[in-house]
């Protein structure tokens, strides 16, 4: 089990990670965070587990992670900024994870639209952003983050697309130190998003982006087609050029490099 008192001493944040609900086993930290009574969960509350029995990805997909070797957590946020900026939270999240991985391991991660962190083209972190509405407006946002830390064996279906920090660095990684670094970086990125025009955050994200100028395969509602990734827009969409040169904004879907 991760020692939370140890994390607290490493935090430089005002809110994020200052309240922690820790579990040995849970169905999904995101599901729990969505239902948690607000009086027990101030802005920045972290729900973390050693194992998830129903860890979720986007679009009803599964997140698979071995017990006790990874980071599986959700951060509860009550955003005070304009609704349009909420679509940019995955950019803040993936940059924060990339910043922290770099700081703790010296590795050089890249960010892949919409919300993955990769090392050498393999996914080491995925994110699931969910919102809960009340009275017609967004009451809370749950940012679920799964990082492959010390797991070195993956199920067959993930063998070629997933990796971990231990596999990539050749060293065991201190999970509490990495968690604290992610939470510290997340608060900084959250403040950057909240206080400045979106381009500040997006420009930093662009520096770590993997796909721009490259041929990609887009998978959108079970239809797959080739395109070129151009940029990201302030609404969080990916700007792509179709093969006939027309431009499109992609708001949801999966993209992968056509050639590695
Ligand atoms: C994601 O979805 O990448 C979001 C993952 C979010 C997981 C966290 S863990 C804490 C919190 N609680 C939850 O229940 N969820 C969040 P998506 O982009 O849809 O990617 C899912 C796909 O990634 C799966 O269909 C697999 O192909 C692949 N995958 C599953 N487990 C993986 C892993 N450990 N590493 C890399 N890829 C994985």
């Amino acid at each position: 089990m991760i020692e939370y008192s140890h994390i607290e001493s490493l935090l430089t944040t005002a809110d994020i990670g200052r309240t922690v609900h820790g579990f040995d086993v849970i169905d999904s930290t995101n599901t729990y965070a969505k239902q948690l009574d607000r009086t027990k969960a101030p802005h920045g509350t972290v729900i973390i587990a050693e194992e998830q029995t129903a860890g979720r990805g986007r679009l009803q997909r599964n997140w698979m992670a071995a017990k006790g070797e990874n980071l599986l957590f959700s951060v509860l946020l009550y955003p005070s900024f304009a609704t349009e900026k909420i679509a940019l939270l995955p950019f803040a999240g993936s940059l924060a994870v990339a910043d922290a991985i770099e700081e703790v391991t010296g590795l050089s991660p890249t960010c892949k639209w919409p919300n993955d962190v990769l090392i050498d083209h393999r996914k080491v972190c995925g994110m699931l952003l969910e919102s809960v509405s009340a009275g017609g407006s967004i009451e809370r946002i749950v940012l679920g983050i799964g990082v492959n830390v010390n797991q070195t064996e993956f199920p067959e279906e993930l063998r070629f697309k997933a990796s971990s920090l231990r596999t990539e660095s050749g060293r065991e990684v201190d999970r509490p130190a990495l968690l604290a670094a992610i939470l510290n970086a997340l608060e900084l990125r959250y403040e950057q998003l909240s206080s400045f025009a979106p381009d500040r955050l997006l420009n930093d994200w662009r520096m770590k982006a993997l796909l721009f100028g490259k041929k990609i395969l887009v998978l959108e509602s079970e239809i797959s087609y080739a395109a070129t990734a151009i940029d990201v827009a302030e609404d969080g969409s990916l700007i792509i050029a179709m093969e006939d040169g027309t431009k499109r904004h992609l708001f949801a879907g999966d993209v992968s490099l056509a050639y590695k």
Side-chain angles (χ1 to χ4, degrees):
M1 224 15 201
I2 289 183
E3 190 51 65
Y4 299 106
S5 53
H6 178 43
I7 294 168
E8 208 174 359
S9 67
L10 300 173
L11 288 179
T12 54
T13 58
D15 302 314
I16 294 183
R18 292 295 170 182
T19 303
V20 177
H21 296 255
F23 297 87
D24 189 32
V25 184
I26 200 169
D27 52 355
S28 152
T29 57
N30 261 43
T31 306
Y32 187 87
K34 280 168 40 177
Q35 295 157 356
L36 193 53
D37 184 343
R38 192 166 177 157
T39 57
K40 298 189 186 103
H43 178 73
T45 295
V46 169
I47 295 90
I48 184 162
E50 292 291 289
E51 181 182 19
Q52 294 183 126
T53 53
R56 294 186 285 115
R58 296 175 300 138
L59 311 165
Q60 329 295 329
R61 294 186 287 222
N62 296 325
W63 186 256
M64 292 174 273
K67 180 170 186 159
E69 298 183 338
N70 301 296
L71 286 178
L72 304 165
F73 64 101
S74 301
V75 183
L76 196 49
L77 303 165
Y78 302 100
S80 51
F81 44 66
T83 324
E84 306 85 70
K85 282 190 175 177
I86 289 176
L88 300 180
L89 275 170
F91 294 84
S94 54
L95 256 181
V97 171
D99 293 341
I101 289 175
E102 220 168 288
E103 181 192 321
V104 173
T105 67
L107 292 164
S108 301
T110 52
C111 295
K112 179 170 153 279
W113 185 89
N115 52 17
D116 294 347
V117 180
L118 283 75
I119 294 174
D120 202 13
H121 298 286
R122 290 177 192 232
K123 181 160 164 174
V124 295
C125 168
M127 247 164 249
L128 175 64
L129 185 88
E130 297 184 288
S131 60
V132 177
S133 295
S137 61
I138 291 175
E139 187 259 334
R140 68 177 71 181
I141 296 285
V142 175
L143 180 61
I145 301 178
V147 189
N148 301 329
V149 185
N150 289 320
Q151 183 172 343
T152 51
E153 298 286 331
F154 289 91
E156 187 62 36
E157 63 209 272
L158 296 181
R159 199 153 290 166
F160 297 105
K161 55 182 182 184
S163 189
S164 72
L165 304 184
R166 180 172 185 167
T167 302
E168 297 301 321
S169 68
R171 280 188 309 255
E172 182 158 351
V173 174
D174 181 345
R175 288 188 304 147
L178 180 67
L179 175 62
I182 294 173
L183 300 177
N184 290 340
L186 184 61
E187 188 160 288
L188 293 177
R189 293 296 180 184
Y190 185 86
E191 278 164 15
Q192 186 182 33
L193 177 61
S194 149
S195 311
F196 299 99
D199 249 10
R200 280 246 193 151
L201 178 78
L202 287 180
N203 280 340
D204 287 351
W205 193 89
R206 288 178 176 112
M207 310 253 281
K208 288 196 160 70
L210 177 68
L211 301 175
F212 298 153
K214 306 238 170 73
K215 278 254 179 259
I216 56 168
L217 289 175
V218 180
L219 182 65
E220 203 184 359
S221 318
E222 299 190 4
I223 297 167
S224 163
Y225 55 89
T228 303
I230 310 267
D231 198 0
V232 281
E234 290 197 357
D235 58 9
S237 62
L238 180 70
I239 307 171
I240 57 172
M242 306 296 282
E243 295 208 300
D244 66 2
T246 53
K247 285 191 184 158
R248 279 194 56 195
H249 284 246
L250 202 62
F251 288 92
D254 281 305
V255 294
S256 56
L257 273 182
Y259 320 100
K260 283 187 188 154

